[in-house]
Amino acid sequence: MVEFQASVTDLVSEDPRPGLRPLRHSKSGKSLTQSLWLNNNVLNDLEHFNEVVSQLLAYPQNLAWIDLSFNDLTSIDPVLTTFCNLSVIYLHGNSIHRLSEVNKLAVLPRLRSLTLHGNPMEEEKGYRQYVLCTLPRITTLDFSGITKADRTTAEVWKRMNIKPKKVKIKQNAL
């Protein structure tokens, strides 16, 4: 959307880069789009993201696609989970280290496509299987389609590597 921004709040004062199609606007001047392309900036957090998106988009609740690739993000901000219509999230080329950050995205019911390659987490053993176990509804990971074999491998990996949570039984219940 804009070039080389260090803060999400900088977006409000920037004009969008021209795309293939002209950007439509509401009567109030807000963008009539379901996607935000914030790639190739130097964003290191998403502080004030909700407020900024509300200022930019006529219908922020309809946000379906966000490209945050090639920034300086070190974690997956929980603010992304407030947009329940997100189906595509690009986070490749950032600095996300912990594989457990993926857990935050499990609450997104429509998430189908996710990119995380180019982050340090990709080097962790079982990276692809962990993501597939955590996000079983996705159909594309790192621009690669998920096959039945991928899902089977992820299930086997899960049984071998993820211990089931112990159920605590209250003493009074017995």
Side-chain angles (χ1 to χ4, degrees), residues 1-3 11-19 23 25 31 33 36-37 56:
M1 184 171 188
V2 294
E3 293 188 42
L11 301 171
V12 177
S13 61
E14 290 290 329
D15 289 327
R17 290 183 286 225
L23 190 58
H25 292 87
S31 296
T33 184
L36 280 178
W37 292 59
L56 296 174

Side-chain angles (χ1 to χ4, degrees), residues 29-49:
K30 295 182 180 184
S31 296
L32 292 170
T33 184
Q34 295 179 333
S35 63
L36 280 178
W37 292 59
L38 307 175
N39 54 311
N40 297 297
N41 287 292
V42 288
L43 299 174
N44 56 23
D45 66 51
L46 297 180
E47 190 174 352
H48 306 296
F49 187 76

Side-chain angles (χ1 to χ4, degrees), residues 31-76:
S31 296
L32 292 170
T33 184
Q34 295 179 333
S35 63
L36 280 178
W37 292 59
L38 307 175
N39 54 311
N40 297 297
N41 287 292
V42 288
L43 299 174
N44 56 23
D45 66 51
L46 297 180
E47 190 174 352
H48 306 296
F49 187 76
N50 270 336
E51 296 89 356
V52 170
V53 170
S54 293
Q55 288 178 3
L56 296 174
L57 303 183
Y59 303 102
Q61 70 278 11
N62 292 344
L63 185 62
W65 183 323
I66 184 148
D67 185 346
L68 290 163
S69 61
F70 301 108
N71 276 289
D72 293 328
L73 299 173
T74 57
S75 65
I76 297 175

